[in-house]
Amino acid sequence: MIRFIIADLRRLWLGCAVVVLLVALATALGVAVTLQERSLRLGSARAADKFDLVIGASGSETQLILSSIFLQPAPLPLVDGELLSKLAADPRVAWAAPVGFGDSFAGYPIVGTTTTLVTSTTPGFGEGRLFAAEGEAVLGASVTLPVGAVVKPMHGTAETGGPTHTDIAYKVVGKLKPTGTPWDRAILVPIQAVWHVHGLGDEPEHEDGGTEPAATVASATHDEDHHHGGIDPDAPIVEDFGADTPGLPAILVKPKSIADAYRLRQAYRGNGTVAVFPGEVLTGLYATLGDAKMVLSAVAAGSQALVAAALVLVTVIHVGQRRRQIGALRAFGAPRVAVFLIVWLELLLLVALGIGLGFVCGLLAAQFGAHLFTAKSGVILPVGFTRDDVRLALFLLGFAAVLSAVPALLAYRQSPAQALRS
Amino acid sequence: MMPLKVQSLAVSFPGLATPVLSIANLEIAAGSRVALTGGSGSGKSTLLNIIAGLERVGSGHVVWGGQDIARLSEGRRDRWRAENVGLVMQDFHLFAGLSALDNVLLPARLSRVSTPDLVKRAHELIETVGLKRTGQPVETMSRGEMQRVAIARALLRKPGVIIADEPTASLDVENGEAVGDLLLSVAAGAGSTLVVATHDQRMIERLDRRIVLRGGCIVGDDVVGKVPV
């Protein structure tokens, strides 16, 4: 029987190839949507995993998380720098680290932060060491610069453009191991350097910026005139933040316990600040993502239904055209069950091939999409099949088995004498 | 060898006032060679379908060697036909993409009765019908060769009856004669009852008995004695 089926499929190879491709495309669409959405959830959750609590000025919680954890370039309102020293002294806090951003180099965001944050949130160095002086920088694993390179910060991003701080340069002293987060694409420098570049904070060598009101590069009200600071590359890093700390776009906080996390979140909501768990913001985003996925899944399901309907139509017509062949098989002694199985298996084989190919194509498409996303955002999206996908594959195969039974039943019920007469 | 006895047979199709076939009594002796003739629409093919168990019998009896196939369910009729009837048709009904050998063995394989002995017999039959290459794909064969493959297929399970529907109609004179010879000789060799519906005068002349149908009724039945193969 298998030999007959293979001979039959080989004879009709072009039509079979079209059927397989149609099924593969419809399946791949659904699979790619599912895999992509799931990997986005997982990848973004993993990226936020190291950050327990983020505190910023009152405003959009989503933007606070997107900017501070996903390093999306966007202006944020600032919180008073004094808050940092207050948090550092809070017994419920294990550590609190400021982040300052707004500059970039070669498309990579430059993030000002502290040694505590780097050592606490990264898996260590692949090469070199942590910055120890104001003019030193550390690279995320995905930054394609060598240790020893010179980084000249440019205000804003490559897309938005902006003046380059030509007189300022960081020396790269280390490269971190991959974290799978957007921080892999970041160039990390001491926060004090970011302040000094922008003429903020305690800047002994600065000519005229020290007296300006506090504002950072991330401020919505930021003004190009503020770019006139400089750094002392050899100055030691001071991470003892006092009352004169400039305004900050975000402070990343590691509470000592889960209970402390909730208490801190409660304590710093209101009075001009907002404290959020990245997870709660992501949950809100996932709901939106889920809605988008539902729409896309509905489109995919619609296309699958159309392909299924087209397949039934094509095969019913095909069985009609093969009446004589089927009738002859019966006439020469093939049992009805054998005729049913031939038609059923032929179609099921094609659809199963299409489903298999569709899963592979869907996986490749999702991986390609994830690759593009990672290249742009640094967030590693874990694309892969799970038990749910096995269930989906089994469901689709089951559906195909039922669908294939329609033309097979027609063939089964066909009278051989009538078929031969036609 | 199987004798046939048809009694009170009436076949009607919906929408037709009169039956397309009406035979009160017909007997065919085991091992005889019968030509079934008549014009288009005379009921030849319907009678062949009925005695081959391809068509359901509305009323009457069709008894082959003691088995009334009119009483069998469709599945059992299929099984009975596979075991007892060798069919040869005008259009060969061979399956492209398969070799001569695979075509000969296909019905047996689909019925899951193929054995090494049967495969050996298929090889022998292909040789008997005058073909040399058992592995040759049928679509590369001439029409005469295709009909030979079809005859080999019909004989595979040593059927008690061979039923042929216009076996020479789509062949040229030379091939038609050769196929006619072959049919007669293999039927004689196997001792099978042979029923041939045909317009081929040369073929008709070589059969022992000629039944003429018109309007679904038998209007002539001549036994011409044993014609030498």
Side-chain angles (χ1 to χ4, degrees), chain A residues 63-105:
Chain A
Q63 195 55 59
L64 178 63
I65 296 301
L66 288 178
S67 294
S68 60
I69 291 178
F70 295 97
L71 303 181
Q72 188 195 72
L76 281 178
L78 306 176
V79 286
D80 194 340
E82 207 182 336
L83 187 63
L84 185 58
S85 52
K86 202 172 144 193
L87 278 167
D90 195 313
R92 297 169 293 189
V93 173
W95 54 261
V99 284
F101 26 73
D103 284 351
S104 68
F105 177 73

Side-chain angles (χ1 to χ4, degrees), chain B residues 100-154:
Chain B
L101 181 70
D102 286 337
N103 263 286
V104 170
L105 284 167
L106 183 65
R109 282 178 171 157
L110 291 178
S111 303
R112 298 179 161 277
V113 294
S114 180
T115 58
D117 282 349
L118 215 55
V119 176
K120 195 172 156 219
R121 178 167 163 76
H123 278 282
E124 288 165 2
L125 280 170
I126 291 173
E127 206 173 307
T128 306
V129 298
L131 296 173
K132 297 218 165 22
R133 292 184 296 261
T134 55
Q136 186 179 354
V138 289
E139 64 271 24
T140 63
M141 292 180 157
S142 70
R143 296 182 70 77
E145 286 173 323
M146 286 186 190
Q147 194 60 302
R148 287 164 191 267
V149 175
I151 291 170
R153 174 177 60 192

Side-chain angles (χ1 to χ4, degrees), chain A residues 21-36:
Chain A
L21 277 180
L22 266 178
V23 174
L25 280 177
T27 309
L29 187 62
V31 168
V33 167
T34 307
L35 288 182
Q36 196 70 276

